[in-house]
Amino acid sequence: MDLPANAGASLPLDPTAPTFKMPAQPRISKSSEPVVELLTNGQVKRSGSPQAKKENQASNAAQNISKPASEAAPNEEGAEKQLSNKELKLKQKAEKQAKRAAQKAAQDAEALDKAQQQQQQQQQQPEQSSADQRRPSNTGKAQPSQGVKITDMTTHHKRTADTSAKSLPIRPPTGFTSQTKEAEAEKKSPPEKKVTVFSHLYSKDRRTGIAGVSREIHPAVLTLAIQLRDYVICGGNARCVATLLAFKKVIQSYTTPPSVALPRHLTTHLSHQISYLSSSRPLCTSQGNSIRWLKKLVVELDPKVSDPDARDFVCKSIDLFIREKVTLADEVIAREASKKIVNGDTVLVYAKSSVVEKSLLTAYREGKAFSVVVADSRPLFEGKNLARSLARAGLRVQYCLLTGLGSLSKKVTKCFLGASAMMGNGRLYSRAGAAMVAMMAKDSGGMVPEFGAAGNVPVIVLCESVKFSSRVVLDSIVSNELGEPDALVEHEDDGIITPSAAQLQAPAAAGAKKGKGGKADAEEEDDSARRKNFGLEGWTEQPNLQLLHLMYDVTPAEYLDMVITELGSIPPSAVSAVNGVWGGEA
Amino acid sequence: MMADITPPTSHATEAFDIVSKYHSLLSADADLTPPIAAIESLIALLTASPVTTISETLDLLSHSSATLRSSVPNWIALSAGTDLFQRYLVQTLNRPGALGSGGDFGYLRQHLLSNGRLFVQRAKKARAKIADEGRLFIHEGSTILTNGGSRVVSALLLRAAESQPSGPRFRVIYVLPLSSSSKTLGKAEGEGQPTITLLRSHSVPVACIPYSALATALPLIDLVVVGAEGVVENGGIISRLGTHQIGLLARSAGKPMYVAAESYKFVRLYPLGMSDLPVRQNIIKFEPVDEDKEEEEEEEVRAVMDGKEKTDGAENDETDADAMAKRRQQGKEITSLEDAVDFTPPNLISALITENGVLTPSAVSEELIKLWF
């Protein structure tokens, strides 16, 4: 049984103290466990009996391991869809639920469970109906539940954090927690938790909820915004494609008001959508570039062209853009990059990039004999996804965290990095940690197969030209993105740090990531005992403790040997030249 | 860059032997460089063959470029010329109104040929321009280190000697590969002999050293000037074997290294390092200890010098035959020491002296992007 909320105040670092990341219900009583599972799994499942638990885990294991990548991807996506649905619904009815849950705290677990199921059914009905009768955004009052409709995305561009279930505890649906008691608790918490050097990166309105949104915002954009916010869609390519697809829907359902020219009005209409998107998560370079392209396209439309024709033209252009700049570009890059892999290579990659994955798989399919070292880091663990998909394909994969890179980098012969952006001065802007990986490869890297000499591993960046930026970046302080600091707080799930603990959890291995919903009550007791070992839970109450979660870093051009784009291979110094020729970001 | 040899489509062109044309051009004019010879042979091919359509022309060119490439062990310099010519052709064809008012292919062909010849003439003048640019780097009283048989470097040094008002007041240290005939100190000889004679005739003091004396000579010199066979996309150069080590030593001593190269030597190639070069040369050969090792070694040196393929002992016969078959499939291998090349990375190069001006290594990719995109 958890302690009451105010108990944490006297013990600043007590792990049971409330942190604003936890949803309201789980702390009310232990019988609210199914609610957690509802959140993480997207399914209502009672996990009371050990039998049921095992089944649950078995099914999870089957999902995670046995299926080949192609099948698993849609599966994962489905889970995410459900997930974000739940989030939305929960958010939408947050206060109602809080009240209900409080009442139900007195009742026994089964009753709660039933109620939960009913509630869910109730929620699903309006969602389906609204999805069926979708209307353009400018018809009357925008219903929040419209945003539940998910954009249909091509799966291969998707990148998610390790598992969908994992991403949730890291990234709680704070939109609704802010409306509950914890919001008040947060207000009371004395110091502002900002690291001064990075204070310019904290934005107040970052987490826009769905409430109070202007009626101009299209449901597709609302959906996308929430998916972006919760990292359901992450990675430069996926974000770029999803944005364009959402805008395609916006344009499809757009009608020009009387006495206004389409090029003029549509641009302002799009601007609203864009600013809403950027408030959910700062736009990345690929998004920015594609949006700039789209705006230019719209502005240059002939005002005399009729609405349907113009819409048709823009939508077709968007499809073409996605095809040329992302899909085909990736193919070309993968082909070029796979040429650089020779037999006997050990390729070091970091975190996850769709184009790096594609290149490695292409090289493998070409029959090259090489192995891969996947370096990864907390808290997103994106590399797990990559390691899994490569291993499934049959590649030899070694997985390590950044901390273990020192010993593994000795045998590395090449290093492939994905990019969020290539900057005008040839620097690479990528997932935090990439700079460290590049420097490790360059300075303490391995041996060239033919010569057996140490050092100087070629670092190759794979980057579509849509990610090229003309901005000059010198460090990763001036422009960066802050992640949720709570993600750095360790959770009970991460507890497998000793072999004995691993053995203990081995039967539950597959379910371990699914949160405590997958655990029996007896284990729960152990957990609460062990949880005391983690130190950062009450960091908000600790006045002299700040957490900083940076999302990106900048790798100096000296550490990069080559940038492979769909236009060819160029040295990092030529990024600006390519920008000039291709009229990229001016 | 084309990877594969396209199958021959027209047999009418068989009569014209592009390979022999290329070699005869090279041997006829000692001043001719491989890229220009390649372009000239392609022009000669176009003149000789009765092509009537654009696609036929492009096909013929790509096919014969591939033939030409596979006929020589080191095709890097050559491919700079053939790629450039093909690119130029495509650009000309894409230009609106390329076919003239009547849409006549014959007109276009004539235009191409005359422009191609113009290009060759201009390329030949490039060397003089580079010499003009480069002489400014050679100050009075300085000592210059160079290697190889680069015609551009030779022109540059001569131009500097002529232009200095009170006679040449600089010295040249020429690094030569140590050959078996010169065992006396200060008497190295090799590829650069004509340049050395020419420089001495202009009363420029020239010292000849082997590669083993590089570090000893280093404190004396003020700058390094080398030529290049090809300049790759990241600004690195492919040059005579040993240039890389000159670069490394110069860098370690803080001396600048300049590369004199015509811009038609820019290749669309991006090697990550020596092991990534598309030429096959077996420089480092691990061999088990043999009883009559010394004899064999001597034999080997002689064989290498003669440019002949060395066949190993009887026990290796089968594997060697396999390897040879493979080699034949992949193209020729560089066997002579004089033809062997290495790759000097751009970070060792201070600047490239081209006819378009003095460029930093990173500007090479910009020039190539301008040309290719």
Side-chain angles (χ1 to χ4, degrees), chain A residues 340 414 448 450-451 458 460 561-562 567-571 573-574 577-578 581-582, chain B residues 3 233-235 268 270-272 274-276 284 286 362-363 365-366 369-370 373:
Chain A
K340 290 291 169 195
K414 261 163 209 142
V448 186
E450 287 104 297
F451 298 100
I460 301 169
D561 290 271
M562 181 194 261
L567 311 167
S569 307
I570 55 169
S573 55
V578 170
V581 175
W582 283 84
Chain B
E233 256 184 284
N234 59 355
R268 269 208 97 190
Y270 201 133
L272 288 169
M274 191 59 208
S275 54
D276 205 23
I284 296 153
F286 295 105
S362 59
S365 62
E366 283 172 37
I369 285 165
K370 263 190 241 161
F373 295 135

Side-chain angles (χ1 to χ4, degrees), chain A residues 113-131:
Chain A
D113 196 5
K114 271 181 196 167
Q116 202 69 43
Q117 275 177 329
Q118 284 169 359
Q119 191 185 342
Q120 195 202 4
Q121 280 163 5
Q122 283 169 3
Q123 285 168 357
Q124 261 166 357
Q125 278 164 358
E127 185 241 323
Q128 277 163 0
S129 60
S130 70

Side-chain angles (χ1 to χ4, degrees), chain B residues 324-369:
Chain B
M324 288 290 283
K326 240 183 215 171
R327 269 174 221 167
R328 248 175 254 124
Q329 274 179 352
Q330 289 173 359
K332 288 192 177 173
E333 181 173 332
I334 294 174
T335 47
S336 114
L337 193 59
E338 290 195 358
D339 289 338
V341 289
D342 66 9
F343 170 67
T344 312
N347 58 323
L348 300 178
I349 296 167
S350 310
L352 292 142
I353 306 169
T354 74
E355 76 270 23
N356 298 333
V358 181
L359 307 175
T360 58
S362 59
V364 173
S365 62
E366 283 172 37
E367 293 280 315
L368 279 169
I369 285 165

